[in-house]
Amino acid sequence: MERVELRTVEELMAALRACRGVWDTPDRSGDPVDLHDHALQTAALLRRGHPSDKELQVAGLVHDLGLLLCPGDDAGHADRAADAVRGLLGERVARLVRLHVPAKRYLSAVEPGRGLSAQSALTLGAQGGPMEPHEVAAFEADPHAEDAVTLRQADDAGKVVGLDAGILEDWRPVLELVAAGIRSTAAYSS
Ligand SMILES: [Fe+2]
């Protein structure tokens, strides 16, 4: 499968716009909101809980783009989205996006009774199931683990039919800000 890279905020905005009417399962048997509304709800929840952490918010906004880029790839969609945004939004955002599936496997191990959507419970098996104890220990040692769990909790909550979570265009300046920070860091270190 060809690797997709979103090189500009405009390309990323176009991909997010394209999520309207696209579902996590092509036959619409999965979660009840489309990928566009899910992205906005997840990002809005993170903005409410972590208003100063723009990178965490945009990670929430883009975390499921892999399902747009390769429909039905439940096991690989997090890595796919991380690869697509790494150059534009930076290593931390990519890492948080990549960890949103391991964070689900982690939470399923440490909080086995917590509610997942029926679709998330279904795909958990394809993603490796709940973590084994040695995987839990390795995950907890990751410096991004706590933020990845925060993203995952917003991800699981951001699936409410009919909830107005704002408009995509409002995220453009936030994406520009994060992308500009990454460009200046790259320029400084080169
Ligand atoms: Fe999601």
Side-chain angles (χ1 to χ4, degrees):
M1 180 59 65
E2 187 187 339
R3 185 164 167 258
V4 177
E5 188 180 350
L6 300 165
R7 292 191 173 81
T8 64
V9 168
E10 199 43 62
E11 283 182 14
L12 175 53
M13 287 292 287
L16 289 164
R17 271 194 300 274
C19 286
R20 193 182 281 286
V22 177
W23 304 77
D24 58 342
T25 57
D27 66 358
R28 289 197 54 176
S29 61
D31 285 328
V33 295
D34 68 11
L35 293 179
H36 172 273
D37 289 0
H38 176 55
L40 287 180
Q41 289 186 26
T42 304
L45 285 166
L46 291 166
R47 182 174 53 195
R48 188 187 306 163
H50 301 267
S52 63
D53 193 344
K54 306 294 185 209
E55 290 186 343
L56 178 62
Q57 295 163 28
V58 301
L61 189 70
V62 305
H63 76 278
D64 269 344
L65 275 178
L67 295 173
L68 173 81
L69 302 174
C70 187
D73 184 8
D74 294 318
H77 79 284
D79 289 355
R80 229 172 257 283
D83 287 347
V85 302
R86 180 174 290 107
L88 182 64
L89 301 178
E91 193 55 49
R92 177 168 176 248
V93 172
R95 186 96 183 117
L96 293 176
V97 168
R98 203 178 82 68
L99 286 174
H100 89 269
V101 170
K104 172 172 133 182
R105 296 186 57 229
Y106 169 76
L107 284 168
S108 299
V110 300
E111 296 177 19
R114 77 190 272 275
L116 281 174
S117 73
Q119 182 62 19
S120 280
L122 194 67
T123 54
L124 179 62
Q127 294 161 343
M131 282 183 172
E132 300 294 331
H134 72 278
E135 295 175 298
V136 166
F139 181 83
E140 287 176 342
D142 188 313
H144 296 292
E146 195 175 324
D147 291 335
V149 165
T150 301
L151 193 162
R152 183 70 221 185
Q153 288 164 335
D155 179 5
D156 290 334
K159 302 177 179 182
V160 180
V161 176
L163 178 70
D164 180 1
I167 60 168
L168 180 58
E169 198 57 36
D170 286 346
W171 286 98
R172 182 191 295 271
V174 186
L175 291 168
E176 297 279 13
L177 197 70
V178 171
I182 297 308
R183 279 197 303 275
S184 67
T185 305
Y188 183 73
S189 59
S190 64

